[in-house]
């Protein structure tokens, strides 16, 4: 089915691989004689699979890039919630944060939050005054891994006796319990204005492609974890340092009951997510790639037999058991297919027994509620066939075009077809991850600004508080880095708010104010500089504003990608968008991203007059009620895409300087930009951009064209659009 080529230089690798296999087979002959039959082509197939995975976005650099990005996002989310008055811990778990995914696997984002105001008690001595205290209950009738949470009073260490909350239920014994099902119902109710809800096990999410779990963390030692640590001591894996870290790592109680339990609506499931993440981070690259291949097999091959009954967590558990029981020397790249075969042997063994144990918590069967006896038998038949056929079915993995990549005869065709691969794919994923990080950062900034926004004096005071606490709440290098990134943006906002206040008092911006602005000019390519230019324009420094705008235009090359924290555009996260950014772009000195330019009401005196209408874009109160949860966070401010705003500011500035030719050139650039559909992927606020264009024609005295553009804007969005005000004004001018 496939041929070998280009691997002659790897003869020593192949020889070493064969020696490793013989070593393992000699050790295993008394236990598993079937494992001795190692196909001769496995080493070459392993090397080809490694190359296919590298070409598919699962190389070492990409794995580490994903991990680093999601750990930074974790800290950004935590700081944001704390600044919003919510004392929460935030974690990204799952494939994205582990780096164990590829574009074709289309993995969801797993996010877990837990409140520091909840105190989980394992014994009565754990009670704390002023907290929501919950006592873990477990007896012989409770399934392994499951707990009931008894409500304990906050002012005295005594059991609650009244149903004072809709989430509470009374057990037959009279104990008041916190119901997991009602907990999720409460989350669903509280977030009812945030879009359509999706439930998935313990997750209640209104964010597409996100699984969001609100859990309770347990900081006390648990017998289940200690038993696992004792079981693992003296083994080559997990390492001793990991076991020591696991001993003090918090676990979580997530709202999910056992499918066969009488109390499944009340039960909470113990989940050692942090320990599992430590285990995943301890994988070497061969182990990581073996896990990715297992997931590819699950989604491409197992799914044809059992649908989605086998999950990534099943694959992860199989990996844990296999690594623990396999000599470390075997986990090298040229043995990939061999260790994959060992994983399938482990799965086959558990299928024959009808149970897949949890790697950490004893007594759990991970097939319960997931894989019925009938499906277990069907999957066992298929895995028997897969093993007998020496894993030939890996050539049928269509995800990420693995099947073609594995066959040398198709490799050249794949490249000619223009498929992203290798370095280009890695760099495209790197840009995508950075773009998504910046988008999330932008949304976090919008959330915090909305939460803290009130009046000029209190808002500026709050900004100082935010900037101080950002850094004080940082506990390690990564959280400090995240805090500094937030501080940079808030510092820039604070300067802008102060400058607006000075201008309101008709004070002149001095060199000190201008010098302070320059600290924040490198947040992205254009937006911070455009706000600076707007500040200069509004304060009468037109020559300085023109120089800043010229600098922005030089930096703003055609490959710059717009980033918006308020809206999304279909296709704007396609990897080919980011590959196109890389082609022909030799300037790597700045991030090729552009935030939308945003002005809060507290910055109104640094804002061009026409954008003040955006801060009052509704005509009626009914329009405000129509806004979504996200829209309510930003629609009381002015937000505009950076490129159209650049041309608009040039039009204003050159007009103020009396440079008619440059002014009309800026207008032509704005018209050309708006007419070209290729730019639609970077227009998140098209109605506002069209309003700017209409205002240019209005200032030119061409009211008919101005009205045409305002009507075009209204055709894009007819409500919550400042064009309603503009159209009325122009109609009044036309009618005389």
């Amino acid at each position: 089915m496939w041929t070998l080529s280009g691997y002659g230089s790897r003869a020593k690798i192949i020889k070493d691989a064969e020696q490793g296999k013989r070593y393992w087979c000699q050790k295993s002959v008394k236990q598993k004689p079937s494992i001795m039959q190692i196909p001769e082509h496995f080493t070459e197939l392993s090397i080809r699979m490694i190359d296919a995975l590298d070409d598919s976005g699962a190389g070492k650099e990409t794995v580490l890039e994903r991990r680093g990005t999601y750990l930074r996002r974790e800290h950004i989310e935590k700081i944001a919630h704390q600044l919003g008055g919510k004392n929460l811990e935030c974690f990204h778990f799952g494939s994205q944060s582990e780096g164990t995914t590829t574009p074709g696997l289309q993995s969801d984002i797993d996010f877990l939050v837990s409140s520091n105001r909840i105190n989980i008690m394992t014994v009565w001595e754990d009670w704390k005054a002023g907290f929501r205290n919950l006592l873990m209950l477990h007896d012989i009738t409770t399934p392994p891994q499951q707990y009931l949470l008894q409500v304990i009073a906050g002012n005295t260490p005594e059991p609650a006796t009244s149903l004072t909350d809709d989430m509470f239920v009374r057990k037959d014994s009279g104990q008041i319990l916190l119901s997991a099902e009602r907990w999720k119902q409460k989350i669903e109710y509280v977030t009812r204005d945030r879009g359509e809800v999706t439930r998935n096990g313990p997750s209640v999410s209104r964010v597409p492609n996100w699984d969001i779990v609100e859990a309770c963390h347990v900081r006390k030692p648990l017998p289940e974890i200690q038993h696992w640590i004792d079981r693992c001591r003296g083994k080559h894996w997990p390492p001793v340092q990991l076991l020591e870290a696991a001993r003090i790592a918090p676990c979580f109680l997530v709202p999910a009951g056992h499918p066969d339990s009488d109390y499944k609506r009340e039960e909470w499931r113990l989940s050692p997510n942090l320990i599992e993440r430590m285990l995943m981070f301890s994988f070497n690259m061969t182990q990581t790639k073996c896990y990715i291949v297992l997931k590819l097999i699950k989604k491409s091959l197992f799914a044809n037999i059992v649908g989605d009954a086998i999950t990534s967590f099943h694959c992860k558990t199989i990996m844990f058991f296999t690594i623990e029981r396999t000599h470390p020397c075997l986990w090298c790249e040229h043995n990939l297919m061999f260790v994959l075969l060992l994983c399938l042997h482990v799965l086959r063994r558990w299928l024959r027994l009808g149970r897949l144990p949890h790697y950490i918590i004893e007594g759990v069967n991970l097939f319960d509620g997931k894989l019925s006896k009938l499906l277990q038998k069907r999957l066992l038949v298929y895995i028997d066939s897969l093993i007998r056929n020496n894993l030939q079915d890996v050539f049928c993995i269509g995800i990420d075009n693995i099947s073609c990549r594995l066959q040398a005869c198709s490799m050249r065709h794949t490249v000619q077809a223009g498929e992203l691969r290798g370095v280009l794919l890695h760099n495209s994923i790197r840009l995508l991850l950075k773009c998504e990080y910046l988008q999330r950062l932008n949304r976090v900034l919008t959330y915090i600004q909305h939460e803290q926004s009130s009046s000029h004096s209190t808002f500026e005071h709050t900004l100082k508080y935010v900037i101080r606490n950002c850094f004080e709440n940082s506990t390690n290098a990564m959280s400090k880095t995240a805090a500094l990134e937030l501080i940079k943006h808030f510092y820039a906002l604070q300067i802008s708010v102060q400058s607006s206040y000075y201008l309101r008092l008709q004070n002149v911006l001095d060199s000190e104010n201008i010098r302070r602005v320059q600290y924040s000019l490198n947040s992205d390519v254009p937006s911070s500089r455009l706000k600076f230019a707007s500040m200069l324009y509004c304060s009468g420094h037109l020559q300085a504003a023109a120089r800043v705008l010229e600098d922005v235009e030089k930096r703003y090359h055609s490959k710059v990608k717009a980033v918006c924290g308020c809206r999304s555009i279909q296709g704007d996260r396609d990897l080919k968008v980011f590959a196109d950014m890389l082609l022909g772009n030799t300037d790597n000195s700045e991030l090729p991203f552009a935030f939308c330019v945003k002005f809060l009401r507290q910055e109104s005196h640094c804002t061009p007059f026409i954008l003040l209408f955006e801060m009052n874009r509704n005509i009626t109160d009914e329009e405000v009620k129509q806004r979504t949860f996200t829209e309510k966070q930003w629609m009381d401010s002015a937000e505009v895409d950076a490129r159209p705003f650049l041309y608009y500011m040039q039009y204003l500035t050159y007009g103020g300087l009396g440079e008619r030719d440059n002014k009309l050139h800026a207008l032509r650039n704005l018209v050309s930009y708006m007419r070209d559909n290729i730019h639609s992927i970077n227009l998140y606020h098209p109605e506002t951009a069209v309003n700017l264009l209409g205002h240019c024609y209005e200032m030119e005295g061409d009211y008919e064209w101005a009205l045409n553009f305002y009507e075009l804007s209204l055709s894009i969005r007819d409500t919550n659009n400042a064009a309603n005000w503009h159209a009325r004004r122009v109609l009044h001018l036309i009618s005389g």
Side-chain angles (χ1 to χ4, degrees):
M1 184 176 291
W2 55 277
T3 59
L4 297 175
S5 61
Y7 293 103
S9 61
R10 301 185 184 181
K12 186 177 185 302
I13 292 177
I14 295 172
K15 181 179 178 182
D16 291 345
E18 295 305 320
Q19 289 175 346
K21 288 173 190 171
R22 284 196 293 272
Y23 168 83
W24 173 250
C25 296
Q26 289 167 3
K27 289 197 63 148
S28 307
V29 67
K30 294 182 181 179
Q31 298 174 351
K32 291 187 173 74
S34 61
I35 297 181
M36 291 176 60
Q37 309 303 318
I38 308 300
E40 292 295 325
H41 68 274
F42 259 29
T43 299
E44 292 83 356
L45 179 57
S46 297
I47 295 169
R48 195 174 297 282
M49 180 64 84
I50 290 290
D51 288 345
L53 290 171
D54 288 344
D55 266 355
S56 301
K60 180 178 180 179
E61 294 83 4
T62 308
V63 169
L64 296 178
E65 191 89 40
R66 285 190 190 277
R67 287 183 185 177
T69 298
Y70 276 89
L71 288 174
R72 286 194 299 275
R73 287 178 62 162
E74 209 173 81
H75 290 291
I76 290 286
E77 297 284 354
K78 178 179 178 179
I79 293 170
H81 280 99
Q82 289 177 341
L83 293 175
K86 299 176 182 177
N87 191 4
L88 300 176
E89 300 292 334
C90 302
F91 301 93
H92 274 296
F93 292 120
S95 301
Q96 294 285 2
S97 63
E98 295 161 359
T100 56
T101 188
T102 65
L105 282 171
Q106 298 179 331
S107 301
D108 288 342
I109 296 173
D110 296 323
F111 189 61
L112 183 145
V113 295
S114 63
S115 173
N116 286 314
R117 291 172 179 157
I118 294 177
N119 177 44
I120 299 296
M121 304 163 52
T122 56
V123 293
W124 283 100
E125 288 74 18
D126 295 337
W127 181 85
K128 291 182 180 179
F131 285 78
R132 173 178 262 182
N133 291 281
L134 300 166
L135 177 64
M136 297 171 66
L137 302 180
H138 187 95
D139 57 30
I140 57 173
T141 65
T142 314
Q145 198 182 6
Q146 303 296 141
Y147 282 90
L148 298 173
L149 292 179
Q150 183 180 4
V151 181
I152 309 299
N155 57 351
T156 178
E158 296 177 354
T161 56
S162 303
L163 298 174
T164 56
D165 193 295
D166 290 340
M167 295 185 291
F168 297 170
V169 296
R170 192 184 301 275
K171 198 180 178 187
D172 294 341
S173 60
Q175 294 163 309
I176 304 298
L177 304 178
L178 176 63
S179 165
E181 181 61 27
R182 293 195 179 188
W183 170 275
K184 290 186 287 188
Q185 289 172 355
K186 181 70 171 288
I187 295 168
E188 194 170 338
Y189 176 77
V190 169
T191 61
R192 62 191 180 280
D193 62 339
R194 302 186 186 183
E196 184 178 349
V197 69
T198 301
R199 279 200 182 205
N200 182 21
S203 167
V204 179
S205 175
R206 296 186 186 274
V207 183
N209 304 317
W210 281 55
D211 281 339
I212 302 176
V213 176
E214 294 196 23
C216 306
H217 55 255
V218 186
R219 298 192 183 277
K220 303 298 180 181
L222 294 170
E224 295 95 332
I225 305 304
Q226 189 57 51
H227 178 78
W228 170 73
I229 292 172
D230 293 341
R231 179 178 71 79
C232 292
R233 289 197 190 281
K235 298 185 178 182
H236 67 86
W237 189 88
V240 173
Q241 299 93 325
L242 191 153
L243 295 177
E244 287 304 308
R247 186 174 56 82
I248 59 174
C251 289
F252 300 93
L253 291 167
V254 301
H258 191 281
D260 300 326
S261 173
D262 293 337
Y263 287 95
K264 62 184 176 184
R265 292 176 59 85
E266 285 71 50
E267 284 174 353
W268 296 70
R269 184 172 71 215
L270 182 64
S271 185
N273 303 73
L274 282 171
I275 298 175
E276 290 159 3
R277 185 162 80 176
M278 292 178 202
L279 292 171
M280 292 301 303
F281 283 8
S282 76
F283 281 14
N284 66 26
M285 277 310 300
T286 302
Q287 292 162 344
T288 298
K289 289 179 178 179
C290 183
Y291 175 47
I292 292 172
V293 177
L294 265 183
K295 292 201 290 185
L296 290 167
I297 290 173
K298 167 193 75 89
K299 193 165 184 176
S300 278
L301 307 180
F302 291 174
N304 298 328
I305 312 296
V306 298
D308 60 357
I310 290 290
T311 67
S312 295
F313 191 73
H314 290 131
C315 296
K316 187 181 296 185
T317 303
I318 292 160
M319 284 296 305
F320 292 158
F321 280 116
T322 307
I323 294 172
E324 181 190 282
R325 301 172 184 190
T326 306
H327 196 281
C329 73
L330 285 175
W331 291 98
C332 46
E333 289 190 344
H334 44 269
N335 282 339
L336 177 61
M337 299 310 293
F338 178 52
V339 292
L340 177 63
L341 185 67
L342 295 181
C343 290
L344 293 173
H345 274 279
V346 169
L347 176 56
R348 182 170 69 172
R349 176 178 175 238
W350 296 127
L351 285 169
R352 285 173 174 169
L353 294 173
R355 59 186 299 271
L356 175 60
H358 193 287
Y359 179 65
I360 295 174
I361 301 174
E362 197 172 48
V364 178
N365 183 2
L366 296 178
F367 289 153
D368 287 347
K370 291 286 185 181
L371 198 67
S372 67
K373 294 295 183 182
L374 176 61
L375 291 181
Q376 289 177 38
K377 290 178 181 178
R378 288 179 180 174
L379 185 58
L380 179 58
V381 170
Y382 176 70
I383 289 177
D384 277 334
S385 170
L386 188 62
I387 292 173
R388 279 198 312 272
N389 294 331
N390 295 328
L391 309 184
Q392 287 298 301
D393 280 9
V394 297
F395 290 96
C396 299
I397 297 175
I399 297 174
D400 294 305
N401 216 11
I402 292 293
S403 58
C404 289
R405 296 184 197 277
L406 286 175
Q407 301 179 61
C409 61
S410 298
M411 296 291 273
R412 184 174 301 171
H413 170 74
T414 301
V415 176
Q416 290 175 345
E419 184 177 358
L420 299 182
R421 60 193 298 266
V423 174
L424 180 59
L425 177 59
H426 161 67
N427 288 333
S428 300
I429 292 173
R430 177 178 56 81
L431 282 179
L432 170 62
L433 289 168
K434 187 63 180 179
C435 182
E436 290 178 335
Y437 171 77
L438 291 174
Q439 181 192 38
R440 195 66 194 169
L441 174 65
N442 207 319
R443 186 158 291 183
V444 162
L445 291 167
T446 300
Y447 163 76
I448 297 172
Q449 290 163 7
H450 174 73
E451 290 292 306
Q452 305 292 351
S453 183
S454 54
S455 67
H456 286 290
S457 57
T458 59
F459 186 72
E460 187 177 340
H461 174 77
T462 301
L463 280 178
K464 291 178 181 178
Y465 161 81
V466 166
I467 290 170
R468 184 180 70 250
N469 281 315
C470 265
F471 202 77
E472 288 180 355
N473 289 335
S474 307
T475 55
N476 55 44
M478 186 167 285
S479 63
K480 279 182 167 55
T481 301
L484 287 171
E485 185 147 19
L486 283 171
I487 287 169
K488 180 171 62 178
H489 289 276
F490 284 118
Y491 182 74
L493 178 59
Q494 182 186 18
I495 295 169
S496 183
V497 169
Q498 287 176 346
S499 300
S500 179
Y501 180 68
Y502 293 150
L503 292 174
R504 182 169 71 88
L505 298 177
Q506 298 183 335
N507 291 334
V508 178
L509 291 184
D510 56 23
S511 58
E512 177 62 20
N513 294 108
I514 294 172
R515 185 190 63 78
R516 292 173 64 203
V517 174
Q518 295 172 344
Y519 168 78
S520 60
L521 290 183
N522 60 346
S523 59
D524 64 330
V525 172
S527 69
S528 53
R529 290 176 171 85
L530 287 173
K531 287 191 74 170
F532 184 35
S534 179
M535 186 188 304
L536 292 170
Y537 171 82
C538 292
S539 62
H541 294 85
L542 300 186
Q543 289 287 0
R547 287 194 296 271
V548 172
L549 292 170
E550 288 169 7
D551 178 59
V552 171
E553 191 166 23
K554 288 176 184 176
R555 297 168 181 270
Y556 210 145
H557 54 78
S558 62
K559 302 296 185 180
V560 172
K561 173 79 178 73
V563 177
C564 181
C566 309
R567 290 173 171 170
S568 59
I569 298 173
Q570 187 173 2
D572 67 343
R573 296 294 177 265
D574 192 302
L575 278 171
K576 291 185 178 178
V577 171
F578 298 94
D580 183 61
M581 291 170 61
L582 294 164
L583 297 175
N585 180 26
T586 57
D587 182 12
N588 297 318
S589 59
E590 289 186 286
L591 283 173
F593 297 108
F595 287 166
C596 296
V597 184
K598 182 173 185 175
F599 294 95
L600 302 183
R601 291 187 175 186
Q602 289 82 0
E603 302 172 274
S604 58
H605 292 274
C606 293
T607 307
F609 170 75
I610 198 67
L611 289 182
L612 299 181
F613 289 90
E614 301 292 328
M615 301 176 185
N616 301 276
R617 66 188 71 213
N618 59 294
I619 294 287
T620 66
D621 291 339
E622 186 61 31
E623 291 178 60
V624 177
K625 294 176 183 177
Q626 292 173 6
R627 295 176 185 175
T628 66
F629 174 78
T630 302
E631 288 173 342
K632 288 175 182 175
Q633 293 186 330
W634 68 268
M635 276 196 168
D636 285 334
S637 59
E639 188 132 0
V640 59
D641 296 291
R643 179 83 76 167
F645 188 61
L646 164 63
Y647 298 138
Y648 177 75
M649 284 302 304
Q650 286 179 327
Y651 177 87
L652 291 182
T653 304
Y654 291 131
L657 290 169
E659 299 179 17
R660 178 72 177 166
D661 289 344
N662 286 335
K663 174 184 176 182
L664 292 179
H665 179 70
L667 177 55
R668 286 193 294 271
N669 282 342
L670 179 55
V671 171
S672 175
Y673 185 83
M674 297 302 296
R675 279 180 174 171
D676 195 338
N677 285 333
I678 197 172
H679 301 305
S680 60
I681 200 73
N682 283 317
L683 274 176
Y684 290 91
H685 302 274
E687 78 280 14
T688 304
V690 175
N691 288 343
L692 297 183
L693 185 54
H695 189 234
C696 290
Y697 278 91
E698 187 179 342
M699 288 186 286
E700 289 292 312
D702 194 338
Y703 300 137
E704 294 292 342
W705 268 107
L707 183 60
N708 288 338
F709 283 118
Y710 293 143
E711 289 175 345
L712 174 60
S713 176
L714 289 170
S715 72
I716 298 171
R717 187 183 183 103
D718 61 347
T719 60
N720 286 301
N721 186 347
N724 281 302
W725 296 113
H726 303 324
R728 291 184 181 193
R729 182 180 62 253
V730 171
L731 282 170
H732 179 72
L733 291 171
I734 292 173
S735 64

